[in-house]
Amino acid sequence: MTVPAGLSTQEAQSRLEKDGPNVLDSRSRNSAWKLLLRQFESPIILILFAATIISMFLGEVADGIIILAIIIPSGFLGFWQEHRASKTMQSLMSQVQIHVEVIRDGKEVTIPIAEVVVGDLVSLRAGDLIPADLQVVEASGLMVDESALTGESFPREKNIGDIDRTKTLAERTSELFFGTHVVSGVGRGIVVKVGQSTEFGALASELNSRDVTTGFERGTTAFGMLLLRAMVFLVTALFLANLLLHRPIIDSLLFSLALAVGLTPQLLPVIISVSLAAGARRMAEKQVLVKRLDAIEDFGLMTALCTDKTGTITVGAVRLDRALQPDGAESEQVLRLAFMNAKSQKGFINPLDAAILSSVGDKFVEAKVFGEIPYDFERRRLTVLVDEDGPLMITKGAFESILGACDSVRINGEVQPLSPNAAQMQSRFEEISGQGNRVLGIASKSLPGEEKVDINDEREMVLEGFLVFHDPLKEDAKGAIAELAALGIDLYMITGDNRFVAKSIATQVGLAAELVLIGSEIAKLDKDALTEKVRTCRVFAEVDPVQKERIIVAVRATGATVGYFGDGINDAAALHAADVGISVDTAVDVAKNAASIVLLNKDLHVIAEGVALGRRTFVNTMKYVRVGVSAAFGNVVSMAVADIFLPFLPMLPMQILLLNFMTDFPAIAISGDLVDSEDILKPRAWDIKAIRKFMIYFGLLSSVFDIFTFAVLRLGFHASATLFRGGWFVESTLTELAVMMVLRTHRRFWKSKPGGGLFWASVILALTTVVIPFTGFGRIIGLAPLPWNLVLILFSLIGVYIVLNEIAKKYWMK
């Protein structure tokens, strides 16, 4: 049982070893083996294995061994690449761990969320993610957002009490649930459940069992189905044709299956994993961490970015510039009141209070604290009750909120009615805000004899003055916004600050600020009206968390792919609503948890670089898809034609599999290929119609060229089976490599430099391919040495093929 000092370090370690880490995704120790076995679970591969074993029993032992020697290393290649990609992501994710404050050995310490154990005493503040299922043992204004679990949009107050699991989750007010988060207040709780045993764990298990796919996964699935349909039709027809030609059933089956392996996207999952993981690694080098690999595509597709101004457009180092009394004169008393409010509150850690305390230093003495009303986003103010020659309530917050709770104002030390002075106070507030400053109001109220305070006390207060904060613009903010615009990304500034400072900041960085839409106006607009407003408005001020979410939904309704950049408690809903949630590693837990992209540097330039890298990664993935599928489709069509008219199989199954295996290496190197600058200026997505068109047009062009090559081999050189196969093996491999260099770019191929990995992998493979028929290994797999005049003719034909593809891509490649 937990004692007030919490668990001992030794006991916590013992429980961690016994119960395991506090995680929802408990990966099996055999996951590497599962990943390896997954490389061979394709039905086509399994049938190919079975047919090969049968052929070995029928006497074709050498051929069977060679086929297995090609299939198995190909599977290991896929495993190695996917395993590396998985390790890369695990390493990146370790950089964005959520940490928890627990009491160990009587002291508050910070530990990773995975190390929380049953019995831990957890300290909670506004913005904290609830790290496990807890029983509340201390609470002060503890309000928790449980929408992730219950769907209830309003925060629920939590209190000390016993656990009663006969009640619904929403009724269990003495419990805190994993995955929810603290909106305001402070508290402590004892961990009663961790990981999969939590209420959220049970829900997550149910959701994980459902077939939920992302847009990227839907694209890859649609692409796979396109190839599957083409493969089933062509390969079945080819198998039946061989039977009609009275060729051996096993040979015909192996030949057909080998072609199926060549046409089906066996390497597609590997290429995608490798390409996206390589992209994630490069993005990490640019201080952009990707929590989900498929988020890279969404990042690249982004056409609108919604963000607050603090830390993105401004430096993010807020400082208290002035503490003013209502007449505008600087005031030591107002500064002292601000200090007592900031120093006494515990429920809402924020940069404004930090700026106040930093400005004051040790100038004032801390007062005794009686009570606190934590900040929330409806009241937009924070109140403390301190001992200042008797109980004194001090409230600070948004100026409009403070002004609305006051009925008097202190001018030159004299308390006067507010009404005659309200217009002057409002005018002064607007003037200071219009200079780009953030301005809070501060008020007080004497509460004789009281040692508790509640919301009902926040009325009939005395306005004491203004707190003026300054956060200077980043020097390169305007350039960063222009950089985003060059990538086709509109910037929307959404802030809780007042309209005057929002307009000032927006104007300085070049955002259209003629129209500034404020929260009270948004509240009056329905969904359709707000959607129309966001088509022209780029600056939103005085908004609450719900309105932020509504703005995101409205911008999405215009057809934009929306990114939202946030790091505060009030950003969680907006982060979930956006296509791409972006946060920073210093964000509150709930924001960091909701985001799919986490930045190590809160900078718009970093986002622009991340978007460009995301688009570069997707472009390289599409290179493999387009070129690989068109080459495979062309080979199958060519095989079908040759198979019908030749007295022998145009290529043996082992030769087809070897060709596919060898061309895997340049395909994997595509992930590091260079990308033309114009290819990242606009977002790109899966376009199955375009891929199908590309496959048919360039695939058939390849087939026409192949058939011409067949004619040269049979009519010009009267090639035997082994010479024919040797000639086509060389020609087929070299043309696939050549066409990759041509079709990897929309430019003239000599004007677009390929990546070093792709170029040298292609060169080495080309040399290897030409040499193989002249070796003993070539004779073993049934390839005859090529006469040098045939080699020269094949090279000449490949040159013609390159020219034809260069001409064709002008019309067929969009």
Side-chain angles (χ1 to χ4, degrees):
M1 180 65 186
T2 300
V3 296
L7 297 175
S8 67
T9 301
Q10 184 177 358
E11 175 62 21
Q13 184 61 35
S14 174
R15 296 187 184 194
L16 182 62
E17 292 173 358
K18 176 186 174 183
D19 299 333
N22 176 37
V23 294
L24 294 182
D25 183 16
S26 182
R27 297 184 183 274
S28 166
R29 292 181 181 179
N30 296 321
S31 58
W33 287 105
K34 291 180 179 178
L35 184 62
L36 177 60
L37 292 175
R38 200 169 72 199
Q39 309 303 316
F40 302 100
E41 67 183 10
S42 162
I44 295 172
I45 293 292
L46 294 176
I47 295 171
L48 185 58
F49 266 123
T52 302
I53 298 299
I54 291 171
S55 72
M56 292 172 71
F57 274 110
L58 296 177
E60 301 290 339
V61 177
D63 287 355
I65 290 174
I66 292 172
I67 292 174
L68 293 178
I70 295 170
I71 296 174
I72 293 172
S74 182
F76 273 101
L77 174 65
F79 161 74
W80 177 64
Q81 291 290 344
E82 280 203 80
H83 187 60
R84 279 187 62 206
S86 175
K87 289 294 184 183
T88 295
M89 288 311 299
Q90 289 177 29
S91 173
L92 295 178
M93 286 299 294
S94 69
Q95 299 183 51
V96 288
Q97 280 189 6
I98 291 172
H99 289 79
V100 183
E101 284 71 42
V102 301
I103 309 301
R104 295 269 175 92
D105 302 317
K107 299 177 181 178
E108 185 170 285
V109 296
T110 301
I111 63 171
I113 191 172
E115 295 179 13
V116 172
V117 298
V118 172
D120 260 328
L121 185 59
V122 180
S123 297
L124 298 167
R125 301 176 181 86
D128 285 349
L129 194 73
I130 306 298
D133 284 358
L134 314 177
Q135 180 181 2
V136 179
V137 295
E138 292 181 22
S140 175
L142 188 60
M143 302 293 290
V144 177
D145 184 337
E146 297 184 330
S147 58
L149 199 60
T150 66
E152 174 59 53
S153 58
F154 293 101
R156 187 168 295 276
E157 185 172 7
K158 297 292 182 174
N159 300 292
I160 300 170
D162 296 327
I163 292 177
D164 183 358
R165 294 196 172 92
T166 62
K167 295 180 179 179
T168 64
L169 293 179
E171 294 172 333
R172 287 152 66 174
T173 57
S174 62
E175 292 180 74
L176 301 166
F177 302 109
F178 183 39
T180 61
H181 69 274
V182 180
V183 174
S184 62
V186 294
R188 286 183 175 181
I190 297 174
V191 176
V192 293
K193 291 182 179 180
V194 295
Q196 292 291 143
S197 64
T198 61
E199 299 290 346
F200 192 83
L203 176 64
S205 297
E206 179 184 347
L207 291 175
N208 287 339
S209 67
R210 301 175 187 171
D211 184 20
V212 180
T213 57
T214 65
F216 189 85
E217 290 170 331
R218 286 193 294 272
T220 56
T221 300
F223 171 64
M225 290 303 298
L226 167 68
L227 292 192
L228 182 63
R229 286 191 292 268
M231 179 270 295
V232 169
F233 173 76
L234 290 171
V235 172
T236 301
L238 198 55
F239 178 65
L240 293 175
N242 277 321
L243 292 182
L244 291 174
L245 293 170
H246 305 292
R247 289 171 180 165
I249 293 178
I250 293 297
D251 287 349
S252 299
L253 178 61
L254 285 173
F255 178 71
S256 299
L257 290 172
L259 281 183
V261 171
L263 185 56
T264 51
Q266 297 293 324
L267 202 63
L268 181 61
V270 178
I271 293 294
I272 288 175
S273 293
V274 171
S275 184
L276 294 181
R281 198 160 50 242
R282 285 191 293 271
M283 290 171 76
E285 292 171 359
K286 297 293 186 180
Q287 300 186 310
V288 180
L289 301 184
V290 181
K291 289 171 62 179
R292 276 189 358 260
L293 279 179
D294 55 23
I296 290 178
E297 183 203 24
D298 291 331
F299 204 33
L301 285 172
M302 193 165 67
T303 56
L305 176 64
C306 300
T307 180
D308 193 358
K309 61 179 178 56
T310 305
T312 51
I313 296 173
T314 64
V315 173
V318 181
R319 74 171 191 273
L320 179 62
D321 192 55
R322 287 163 284 165
L324 307 177
Q325 57 192 32
D327 62 5
E330 294 201 28
S331 169
E332 192 84 353
Q333 174 62 11
V334 172
L335 182 60
R336 187 165 177 272
L337 291 173
F339 165 78
M340 286 191 285
N341 179 281
K343 187 69 175 179
S344 302
Q345 71 93 11
K346 303 298 181 186
F348 183 59
I349 307 302
N350 64 89
L352 297 181
D353 280 349
I356 292 170
L357 298 177
S358 174
S359 172
V360 170
D362 57 1
K363 183 183 295 187
F364 303 122
V365 178
E366 188 174 352
K368 179 182 177 181
V369 182
F370 292 124
E372 173 184 352
I373 308 175
Y375 181 91
D376 66 58
F377 293 99
E378 290 186 16
R379 292 165 40 252
R380 300 176 66 204
R381 55 183 180 251
L382 187 157
T383 293
V384 297
L385 183 64
V386 299
D387 185 5
E388 175 70 5
D389 296 328
L392 179 67
M393 185 179 78
I394 306 171
T395 303
K396 76 172 187 306
F399 180 75
E400 296 91 337
S401 171
I402 296 296
L403 193 66
C406 292
D407 66 356
S408 56
V409 56
R410 194 182 305 275
I411 299 178
N412 295 324
E414 180 184 344
V415 176
Q416 301 179 15
L418 177 62
S419 298
N421 298 285
Q424 184 182 5
M425 297 300 102
Q426 180 66 30
S427 175
R428 183 161 288 121
F429 162 72
E430 291 179 11
E431 178 187 355
I432 301 171
S433 297
Q435 297 166 0
N437 299 302
R438 182 168 186 179
V439 183
L440 301 186
I442 187 163
S444 69
K445 180 180 181 180
S446 180
L447 295 176
E450 296 291 338
E451 292 190 359
K452 292 183 178 179
V453 65
D454 63 34
I455 292 176
N456 293 323
D457 293 316
E458 292 182 332
R459 58 191 177 87
E460 298 175 355
M461 294 189 290
V462 179
L463 179 64
E464 298 283 359
F466 306 92
L467 300 175
V468 182
F469 298 87
H470 187 61
D471 185 8
L473 286 178
K474 288 186 173 180
E475 292 182 0
D476 59 347
K478 196 168 185 177
I481 293 171
E483 189 177 353
L484 288 169
L487 292 171
I489 299 173
D490 277 337
L491 187 75
Y492 293 75
M493 191 174 84
I494 306 174
T495 179
D497 279 356
N498 65 73
R499 73 203 78 174
F500 309 105
V501 65
K503 183 170 184 176
S504 173
I505 296 293
T507 301
Q508 291 179 65
V509 296
L511 283 178
E514 294 80 10
L515 172 62
V516 177
L517 201 60
I518 61 173
S520 58
E521 295 170 339
I522 293 171
K524 299 174 184 177
L525 300 175
D526 62 18
K527 180 180 177 181
D528 293 337
L530 182 57
T531 300
E532 284 304 309
K533 283 286 186 182
V534 301
R535 293 183 188 278
T536 54
C537 182
R538 293 295 180 270
V539 183
F540 304 84
E542 302 171 29
V543 297
D544 62 31
V546 174
Q547 290 165 345
K548 284 186 178 183
E549 182 181 12
R550 286 192 64 203
I551 293 167
I552 302 302
V553 172
V555 177
R556 289 187 68 191
T558 65
T561 299
V562 182
Y564 181 77
F565 189 10
D567 62 355
I569 308 167
N570 59 337
D571 291 318
L575 285 165
H576 279 295
D579 295 289
V580 189
I582 307 166
S583 194
V584 288
D585 62 330
T586 55
V588 297
D589 289 345
V590 64
K592 195 159 51 175
N593 190 62
S596 51
I597 303 285
V598 177
L599 308 183
L600 301 182
N601 183 7
K602 193 175 182 180
D603 194 319
L604 293 179
H605 281 297
V606 173
I607 292 181
E609 289 178 347
V611 168
L613 282 169
R615 292 180 183 178
R616 185 174 292 121
T617 299
F618 189 72
V619 167
N620 280 338
T621 303
M622 288 300 103
K623 289 177 185 178
Y624 165 75
V625 167
R626 290 198 309 263
V627 176
V629 71
S630 61
F633 178 76
N635 281 340
V636 172
V637 172
S638 302
M639 291 274 190
V641 172
D643 188 50
I644 293 172
F645 293 101
L646 291 175
F648 48 80
L649 290 176
M651 198 176 286
L652 297 177
M654 71 183 81
Q655 296 163 354
I656 296 172
L657 294 172
L658 177 61
L659 189 153
N660 291 329
F661 177 61
M662 290 169 60
T663 53
D664 283 351
F665 289 95
I668 290 172
I670 290 173
S671 64
D673 191 25
L674 300 178
V675 174
D676 299 335
S677 58
E678 62 270 20
D679 284 343
I680 62 173
L681 294 181
K682 61 181 180 180
R684 298 178 184 274
W686 282 98
D687 186 344
I688 300 302
K689 289 183 178 179
I691 292 172
R692 182 170 58 240
K693 177 182 175 182
F694 192 102
M695 177 183 78
I696 293 172
Y697 287 4
F698 286 98
L700 291 179
L701 176 61
S702 171
S703 296
V704 170
F705 178 78
D706 284 341
I707 293 168
F708 185 76
T709 304
F710 298 161
V712 170
L713 288 168
R714 287 293 288 171
L715 300 179
F717 286 84
H718 307 290
S720 63
T722 55
L723 179 59
F724 183 93
R725 291 164 183 159
W728 194 26
F729 181 85
V730 171
E731 180 267 347
S732 182
T733 306
L734 295 185
T735 53
E736 187 167 340
L737 296 176
V739 81
M740 171 59 77
M741 293 298 168
V742 174
L743 299 183
R744 54 171 290 279
T745 175
H746 288 79
R747 300 177 183 176
R748 297 303 182 193
F749 76 88
W750 59 87
K751 293 184 178 180
S752 176
K753 183 181 178 181
L758 175 62
F759 177 78
W760 288 112
S762 299
V763 169
I764 292 169
L765 178 58
L767 294 173
T768 303
T769 301
V770 173
V771 169
I772 283 177
F774 296 93
T775 65
F777 175 70
R779 287 191 291 275
I780 291 173
I781 64 172
L783 301 177
L786 307 184
W788 285 107
N789 57 342
L790 176 57
V791 172
L792 292 174
I793 290 174
L794 290 178
F795 273 65
S796 300
L797 291 175
I798 291 169
V800 173
Y801 181 59
I802 290 172
V803 172
L804 291 176
N805 274 277
E806 187 63 46
I807 294 171
K809 77 179 183 183
K810 181 179 179 181
Y811 303 98
W812 295 344
M813 188 172 162
K814 302 298 183 183

